[in-house]
Amino acid sequence: MRSSSSSKQGAENNSSRGISGHILTLHKRLYHALNLGTRNCDDKGQKWHYSDIEIQRLVVRSVDAFLDSISAESLQHQVVKESVGDIVGAVGSILASKSEATMRLASDVAVKIIHVIPSSMLQPQFSNLIHPLSSLLSFRQLRVTISCASALNLILSNLSSKREKEVWKILKTTNVVGDLVQNVKGYSTENKPTEYFQEMASLLSKILWRWPPSRFHVWTDKKLLNILATFKLNPDCSIRIAVMQLYSALALCGNGTDKLLEDGEGLVKIMVDSLDSSNPYSVQKEGLRLAQCLMTSEQGCSKIIKLSCEPIVKAIITLMSNWSLDAGKLTKGKMSILVEACRLALIARWAGDHHFYFWKARVDGVLLRLLIGNSDTTQQSLHSLSLQEQIIKLEEVFDTHVLLPLRPYVWDILGCLAANCMEDFFPKMHGNETWFNVLIVCACLAFVDSILMSRQISQGSVCHSSESEPASRAVLMMIYSPSKYIASKTRSILSEVLALKGKDYVGYLLDSLKAASSGNKFAIPSNFRLVISLISLACYSALPKYHKHVIQHGGIATLLSFISWWLDNPVHLNRSSVAPHVQNFFSERTCCWPSSEDWEGEDMLLLFGLVALGELINAENCCGIFHDQMELRAAFIRDIQNICINNSNSGPRWYAAYILRHLGLYGFPSKFGRECRELLADNEHSDVELIIKNQEAVHVHGVVLLVRCPSLLPPEKLLKEKAFDSSLKQESDSCNRLITKVRLSAHVDRQSLTKLLEYIYLGSFEAGEDLVKKLKILAKHCNLQPLVQLLSGRNPKWGTPFPTFDFTSALGPAGRNFSDIILEAETSRPSNQECNSCSISVLHLHVHKVILWSSCEYLRALFQSGMQESHSLTIKVPVCWDSLVKLVSWFYSSELPRPISGCLWDNLTKEEKLHELEPYVELCSLAQFWLLEDLHDKCFRLIVSILDSYQYLSIKIIQMAANLNQWKLVEVAAEYLAPMYHHLRNSSEFDAMDEHLIEIIRVASVQFSRRNGHLT
């Protein structure tokens, strides 16, 4: 219908005050042109239609003239605001017509709309522009495609996160990613301007950055990656920036990073070259961001460090050093480079050769300069001052420096460097001892300030706390550094700083924990206050001058109560909640990466509580802690052991093991270790005799020693691979086992060996102090480094992975030397590779009775039954090959291999997804029959978690589960289908289904309707 100009006239009279007559005239001309077309309204705004080319030109020119007249002031007037929807609707409609006569002008005006009208006013209208602009990216007029890409770049740069889902739906419909990939490829073969590549690559990067599902089809395009490889050394800075942005966006996907690093040398070269200080800031910035994306994980960092270690570290240090103040300030561009360089320097959180080069490049001096400024006079004057004088001097300088945004990064870098030092590290080896000591003083001053900050925040004061957690953490990591110099120096300086401050914060810190564990939910302190309190207590507890003071104030009892409270009410925290600087431009956009959490994961409160408790227990007589309360002691030990077994993060598990060490329990408790307890007394399946003095023999199992302590085996047993002759009688007779005899040193006594074997088989053991010295010597000879560390009483090294109890390595070639049984799947297929150990032609696994015996009660009963199967060399398991592989992995590690995930999973077809899930359904059935409750539960939960996101798989899963009598799984899958029952009941998939199963789904649908009020 035609728009009524009279109603518009009335509105204009009321809202046109303050607008120039020129704007009003152009506004009238605009609506005169608009009203030459037809207008429709829907929930997405105004949509116009113009069939005549000349009218289209008139509308576009009227919009163009009106936009030119708008000023920042006039944008606030109602006349302009009310016109936005009509302008966008009209231009969007004209773009959608794809008329070659008007596309050039219309696409240019679309760019102008986004430039002139504020994003906040355009957000509701974006969809009316995005669809037509997206569909024109493959248009044959070059200038049109450039303008459309430019407009979309501007839109996506300002797009609200609330509208991402809606926009992604449009982009998928118009196949934007496919068109952009083709455009980027076309640039290499056609004579097109640089601007074309910039806009296309930039738009593709923005889409890849915002929407993870878009990445798979780009990083799997080999031709595109080959073309980008030819662009990356282009001398044109704009081309290099665009290519690095694309690489960075692809590297947000862990699988994409792996693909990019297949050509690691070329990629690392462009990255390192871009970090040269002679490049413009824009090039340096993109190079730094690319490096951060590629080194998101320890694995990615390790790959790149192997390719180019020293050049990367040199570039980082140069960029962190190359700055100066202009009129007491730092330019915005330089500050941006410093922030990104500091973020990249956080690769120091991982161990590796790069640490050597950081110290070689005198990183301590660079960090000190970022803290206290450029003044050489200040740094030189500190050299001649006493420690007390340094503290007073630094307090004056420390509070006035301008680079405050960089301090959280400086503290993190310092803490990570200290945590990864060698035991014999000394600052004079590479840097300046005074510089490093001054860094420690600065950190200790910030540590005390963080306690004061947490008190102010808890009292309601508004204050800046961004560096509190990083500074406190840095002091903690230096106190517990493997370097004896750093640890002792930090303890000494912190004690001096606390003494000069003259205030006792211990009571306040303990009160914070008491409030948390009191059970009064209104009294629980903030997470920030709890984190600072726990870190601070851990530091206090490590100081000889203060740990007794903490104990006298009830520190041990308070920490025991707090840990008990946390275990009952776990508070999981991302570090970003108390240290905002760890968030960056891509941290929330990554996908398909293994977990890159810090050592504590989300359990920082638990970790820091354990660190403090471990230090106090180390200083106190452990027997006196529980005062003969044996039940309380036993309950505490169970809680700490459960942390070792059930917590998923290495930090809390290590410190739990460290605390157990002070209670006379050594090792690393694990669920799998508990299951191996009976093997210690098993002689039936033993194949190795350890001969100690007096010719006494101790029977053990070769496969267990192979994995857990290979030093006890003779070298030839590690290298030689046993051959199975499948032509011989397929029986296994324990009486004919070959026994390997290993003679141990005369210094090894039965008691020490027994405890060592407990560690090897169970993962932990109990021992008195009289045995510890002997065991430490024996563990050293056996190269059991984690056990040596515990026996020595050394604090765990920050970042060290928790030792795993995993026998899967025994499934490799070395383990076949001890294999005594073969597993085949009931539905095995021919093997593509010959087995070096036997001539069996179908897929099979060489396994070990002793592992199967300890992992599965059903198989244990079978082996002991005396039936024919108990003597057979080969067992056929009633599952498919993929299921068998997962089953054996469970037997050897107590871990269930998961299906592929992330973008690889998302891009599987429905049939491929079902093929991935089928082994888990099959294992559910087998686990029920073989009495493997934990395995059944794991498989069941995994299937349900996938159905929760992919309900459409439920129909086939129901059929699979019903065929295997898994009726609980059938019922759960039916509940997922219940909301869709009325749409599916006439489908072909339902036609092929058993009537009984359809009835189960129907009943679930009725129950669903009743729960949601659809039926009375």
Side-chain angles (χ1 to χ4, degrees):
M1 67 176 191
R2 295 279 180 179
S3 176
S4 172
S5 58
S6 61
S7 61
K8 280 284 179 187
Q9 183 104 29
E12 286 176 5
N13 291 336
N14 294 327
S15 59
S16 61
R17 296 175 185 175
I19 297 184
S20 67
H22 178 60
I23 294 178
L24 288 175
T25 300
L26 293 173
H27 183 262
K28 290 178 180 178
R29 291 176 182 174
L30 169 66
Y31 272 89
H32 172 74
L34 290 175
N35 286 327
L36 295 174
T38 56
R39 180 175 66 174
N40 296 311
C41 298
D42 60 19
D43 58 341
K44 295 182 180 179
Q46 310 282 7
K47 289 188 177 180
W48 297 80
H49 178 68
Y50 305 94
S51 56
D52 185 83
I53 298 299
E54 292 304 319
I55 294 178
Q56 288 185 4
R57 285 197 180 102
L58 177 62
V59 170
V60 172
R61 286 171 179 155
S62 299
V63 170
D64 190 33
F66 184 66
L67 291 172
D68 284 339
S69 70
I70 295 175
S71 64
E73 182 182 359
S74 60
L75 280 168
Q76 306 305 315
H77 288 280
Q78 200 66 22
V79 167
V80 176
K81 290 180 179 180
E82 291 177 352
S83 304
V84 171
D86 290 325
I87 289 172
V88 171
V91 173
S93 174
I94 293 168
L95 288 169
S97 72
K98 296 187 178 180
S99 172
E100 293 191 17
T102 55
M103 282 305 97
R104 174 76 180 270
L105 181 58
S107 59
D108 287 342
V109 169
V111 175
K112 184 178 287 188
I113 289 172
I114 302 163
H115 271 300
V116 172
I117 300 175
S119 174
S120 57
M121 295 171 64
L122 276 178
Q123 289 285 338
Q125 313 295 333
F126 272 157
S127 59
N128 286 333
L129 276 179
I130 291 172
H131 197 289
L133 289 170
S134 301
S135 63
L136 288 168
L137 290 174
S138 57
F139 201 68
R140 56 178 158 269
Q141 290 184 16
L142 190 66
R143 291 309 310 174
V144 171
T145 58
I146 292 175
S147 294
C148 289
S150 177
L152 286 169
N153 264 313
L154 291 169
I155 289 173
L156 296 190
S157 296
N158 298 290
L159 185 68
S160 164
S161 58
K162 294 179 180 179
R163 298 192 174 272
E164 285 186 355
K165 186 175 181 180
E166 172 191 356
V167 171
W168 175 236
K169 187 175 180 180
I170 296 172
L171 297 180
K172 283 198 297 183
T173 302
T174 54
N175 190 33
V176 167
V177 174
D179 288 342
L180 289 171
V181 168
Q182 290 304 317
N183 291 349
V184 171
K185 290 178 183 177
Y187 176 78
S188 64
T189 57
E190 303 170 21
N191 187 22
K192 293 180 179 177
T194 300
E195 182 189 6
Y196 178 86
F197 178 81
Q198 282 180 278
E199 294 294 347
M200 299 302 159
S202 178
L203 179 56
L204 182 56
S205 298
K206 286 184 175 65
I207 293 172
L208 295 172
W209 181 77
R210 275 190 183 267
W211 293 284
S214 65
R215 298 166 190 163
F216 176 82
H217 294 291
V218 180
W219 66 257
T220 54
D221 192 318
K222 293 182 179 179
K223 184 178 178 181
L224 174 68
L225 296 183
N226 290 336
I227 289 170
L228 291 180
T230 65
F231 291 161
K232 60 191 177 189
L233 296 178
N234 192 302
D236 188 327
C237 283
S238 61
I239 296 289
R240 288 166 59 197
I241 289 172
V243 171
M244 285 193 290
Q245 287 175 338
L246 261 179
Y247 281 141
S248 295
L250 290 174
L252 293 175
C253 173
N255 296 320
T257 295
D258 291 341
K259 186 67 177 178
L260 293 177
L261 290 178
E262 288 179 6
D263 176 32
E265 291 185 10
L267 184 59
V268 171
K269 178 171 174 51
I270 181 178
M271 185 178 74
V272 174
D273 289 348
S274 68
L275 300 182
D276 191 281
S277 56
S278 63
N279 286 316
Y281 285 161
S282 56
V283 174
Q284 294 176 21
K285 185 174 181 178
E286 292 307 327
L288 288 165
R289 288 186 166 184
L290 173 58
Q292 290 174 55
C293 290
L294 291 172
M295 293 192 272
T296 295
S297 72
E298 186 172 4
Q299 295 89 335
C301 177
S302 178
K303 287 179 183 178
I304 291 179
I305 289 302
K306 285 179 181 177
L307 292 170
S308 181
C309 186
E310 187 171 12
I312 288 177
V313 173
K314 277 187 174 179
I316 294 171
I317 292 297
T318 299
L319 292 175
M320 290 172 64
S321 308
N322 188 20
W323 62 274
S324 59
L325 298 178
D326 182 12
K329 296 182 180 179
L330 203 64
T331 63
K332 185 177 180 181
K334 192 62 208 180
M335 177 60 85
S336 176
I337 295 299
L338 280 173
V339 168
E340 298 298 342
C342 287
R343 282 177 176 163
L344 182 54
L346 291 176
I347 59 173
R349 64 187 179 274
W350 294 308
D353 295 339
H354 51 297
H355 281 269
F356 171 81
Y357 292 107
F358 270 120
W359 291 113
K360 183 180 178 182
R362 300 194 171 185
V363 64
D364 47 351
V366 174
L367 295 177
L368 182 59
R369 187 165 166 253
L370 290 173
L371 284 175
I372 65 174
N374 245 339
S375 173
D376 291 333
T377 305
T378 301
Q379 295 188 26
Q380 290 172 6
S381 65
L382 290 169
H383 183 75
S384 59
L385 299 178
S386 67
L387 178 57
Q388 289 190 6
E389 291 170 334
Q390 284 184 0
I391 294 171
I392 295 169
K393 177 71 175 176
L394 285 168
E395 280 191 291
E396 299 173 4
V397 178
F398 197 53
D399 292 334
T400 58
H401 191 46
V402 296
L403 300 181
L404 292 176
L406 298 178
R407 285 192 179 175
Y409 301 104
V410 172
W411 299 134
D412 273 1
I413 295 166
L414 178 61
C416 292
L417 289 168
N420 286 284
C421 280
M422 301 299 288
E423 186 176 341
D424 60 351
F425 171 82
F426 191 69
K428 280 186 177 179
M429 293 165 61
H430 298 296
N432 182 301
E433 186 178 0
T434 301
W435 289 351
F436 193 81
N437 291 344
V438 171
L439 274 175
I440 297 176
V441 173
C442 291
C444 291
L445 288 170
F447 168 87
V448 175
D449 287 344
S450 72
I451 299 176
L452 295 173
M453 197 77 67
S454 72
R455 295 189 71 170
Q456 292 173 16
I457 289 176
S458 67
Q459 293 166 3
S461 301
V462 177
C463 52
H464 185 70
S465 60
S466 61
E467 68 170 308
S468 296
E469 190 272 352
S472 300
R473 178 184 287 251
V475 172
L476 179 76
M477 294 169 83
M478 288 191 291
I479 284 175
Y480 293 101
S481 170
S483 164
K484 291 182 179 179
Y485 175 87
I486 295 177
S488 63
K489 202 70 179 179
T490 307
R491 285 177 166 90
S492 172
I493 291 175
L494 181 58
S495 296
E496 191 67 30
V497 169
L498 290 171
L500 282 175
K501 290 290 184 178
K503 291 185 179 180
D504 182 6
Y505 300 108
V506 170
Y508 160 73
L509 300 174
L510 291 173
D511 285 344
S512 299
L513 303 190
K514 290 175 183 176
S517 54
S518 66
N520 182 355
K521 63 181 181 180
F522 299 106
I524 296 178
S526 67
N527 290 333
F528 173 79
R529 180 181 168 189
L530 281 177
V531 169
I532 298 301
S533 297
L534 286 165
I535 295 177
S536 302
L537 269 178
C539 293
Y540 264 103
S541 301
L543 304 179
K545 291 183 180 180
Y546 288 93
H547 65 241
K548 288 185 179 180
H549 183 55
V550 177
I551 292 171
Q552 289 168 358
H553 276 69
I556 292 179
T558 300
L559 285 164
L560 287 172
S561 297
F562 176 81
I563 291 169
S564 177
W565 168 81
W566 190 95
L567 292 173
D568 291 334
N569 310 274
V571 178
H572 301 295
L573 295 180
N574 284 314
R575 191 182 171 212
S576 59
S577 65
V578 291
H581 72 286
V582 301
Q583 293 278 26
N584 52 39
F585 81 105
F586 62 85
S587 58
E588 294 183 352
R589 299 285 179 171
T590 56
C591 68
C592 307
W593 279 100
S595 175
S596 58
E597 290 280 358
D598 290 305
W599 201 41
E600 69 271 23
E602 293 186 345
D603 296 341
M604 60 171 63
L605 296 180
L606 176 62
L607 171 62
F608 298 140
L610 291 171
V611 173
L613 180 61
E615 197 63 49
L616 295 179
I617 289 178
N618 185 32
E620 181 74 349
N621 181 358
C622 299
C623 296
I625 294 175
F626 296 101
H627 303 292
D628 297 325
Q629 296 175 315
M630 300 310 294
E631 290 185 8
L632 184 62
R633 182 180 187 273
F636 173 69
I637 288 174
R638 283 195 300 272
D639 285 343
I640 299 299
Q641 286 177 329
N642 284 333
I643 293 172
C644 290
I645 294 169
N646 299 321
N647 197 283
S648 59
N649 302 300
S650 288
R653 297 173 79 187
W654 255 110
Y655 267 95
Y658 178 72
I659 289 172
L660 289 172
R661 176 243 187 262
H662 294 297
L663 298 171
L665 298 166
Y666 298 87
F668 308 95
S670 70
K671 181 180 177 182
F672 198 25
R674 287 178 173 178
E675 294 175 356
C676 294
R677 179 172 296 278
E678 294 184 21
L679 288 183
L680 266 175
D682 170 59
N683 291 336
E684 182 182 352
H685 301 99
S686 64
D687 52 4
V688 175
E689 286 184 1
L690 301 177
I691 310 299
I692 56 177
K693 57 186 178 181
N694 301 324
Q695 300 302 306
E696 188 178 359
V698 178
H699 297 272
V700 292
H701 306 86
V703 64
V704 176
L705 296 186
L706 174 70
V707 174
R708 299 281 294 157
C709 188
S711 299
L712 286 178
L713 290 172
E716 62 270 15
K717 295 294 289 184
L718 301 176
L719 300 174
K720 185 179 178 182
E721 191 172 326
K722 183 168 76 176
F724 285 75
D725 189 350
S726 60
S727 65
L728 298 177
K729 184 180 179 182
Q730 299 297 291
E731 291 188 356
S732 173
D733 187 351
S734 61
C735 295
N736 296 323
R737 282 179 289 114
L738 294 175
I739 304 297
T740 300
K741 297 189 177 184
V742 180
R743 192 171 300 278
L744 301 182
S745 166
H747 297 290
V748 178
D749 60 68
R750 178 67 184 242
Q751 188 182 24
S752 300
L753 181 60
T754 299
K755 290 300 177 183
L756 184 71
L757 290 175
E758 283 186 33
Y759 172 76
I760 292 170
Y761 277 78
L762 312 181
S764 60
F765 60 90
E766 187 170 0
E769 286 296 326
D770 54 325
L771 263 182
V772 168
K773 187 175 181 180
K774 291 181 182 179
L775 284 168
K776 186 163 64 173
I777 295 171
L778 187 54
K780 279 184 178 179
H781 282 294
C782 293
N783 198 31
L784 300 173
Q785 292 305 319
L787 179 59
V788 172
Q789 181 166 336
L790 276 186
L791 291 169
S792 301
R794 296 198 300 268
N795 287 95
K797 182 182 177 183
W798 196 275
T800 305
F802 191 74
T804 58
F805 206 105
D806 186 340
F807 283 99
T808 50
S809 61
L811 296 170
R816 291 179 190 170
N817 194 36
F818 302 97
S819 173
D820 51 7
I821 197 165
I822 294 171
L823 295 184
E824 292 179 13
E826 192 171 62
T827 55
S828 279
R829 55 183 183 269
S831 176
N832 296 325
Q833 295 180 342
E834 289 187 6
C835 177
N836 294 328
S837 302
C838 69
S839 56
I840 298 176
S841 59
V842 297
L843 291 170
H844 61 280
L845 290 168
H846 290 271
V847 295
H848 311 83
K849 270 191 177 182
V850 65
I851 303 297
L852 304 185
W853 186 86
S854 65
S855 302
C856 179
E857 290 183 20
Y858 173 85
L859 291 176
R860 184 186 310 170
L862 177 67
F863 295 147
Q864 294 174 339
S865 68
M867 295 188 298
Q868 183 179 353
E869 292 86 348
S870 66
H871 300 294
S872 176
L873 179 64
T874 302
I875 294 179
K876 282 189 178 291
V877 183
V879 292
C880 70
W881 171 252
D882 291 337
S883 300
L884 178 62
V885 171
K886 290 175 172 58
L887 175 67
V888 171
S889 178
W890 172 266
F891 285 155
Y892 277 68
S893 67
S894 283
E895 295 292 333
L896 179 67
R898 296 186 62 82
I900 60 175
S901 59
C903 59
L904 296 177
W905 167 269
D906 291 337
N907 287 279
L908 294 178
T909 64
K910 179 180 178 181
E911 289 70 25
E912 289 170 333
K913 287 186 173 80
L914 288 168
H915 180 73
E916 283 284 315
L917 282 181
E918 187 174 2
Y920 299 99
V921 180
E922 202 170 38
L923 285 177
C924 266
S925 175
L926 183 75
Q928 201 167 40
F929 182 61
W930 280 16
L931 307 177
L932 298 167
E933 293 182 10
D934 286 349
L935 176 60
H936 181 276
D937 185 58
K938 287 259 186 182
C939 291
F940 184 86
R941 289 175 182 274
L942 186 146
I943 296 166
V944 171
S945 69
I946 291 175
L947 294 183
D948 196 45
S949 301
Y950 302 89
Q951 291 92 339
Y952 65 88
L953 299 175
S954 298
I955 293 180
K956 293 295 185 183
I957 293 297
I958 282 179
Q959 293 171 312
M960 289 182 195
N963 291 337
L964 294 167
N965 294 317
Q966 294 300 297
W967 297 109
K968 182 180 177 183
L969 186 55
V970 168
E971 291 173 4
V972 172
E975 289 178 6
Y976 282 113
L977 286 176
M980 302 178 278
Y981 171 73
H982 295 290
H983 299 288
L984 293 171
R985 61 183 175 181
N986 295 320
S987 68
S988 58
E989 289 182 296
F990 261 41
D991 291 341
M993 190 177 288
D994 185 84
E995 286 294 332
H996 176 56
L997 298 180
I998 294 176
E999 178 62 15
I1000 290 175
I1001 299 170
R1002 189 195 68 79
V1003 170
S1005 173
V1006 171
Q1007 293 173 346
F1008 171 81
S1009 298
R1010 286 175 177 167
R1011 285 195 304 270
N1012 291 275
H1014 299 155
L1015 294 177
T1016 58

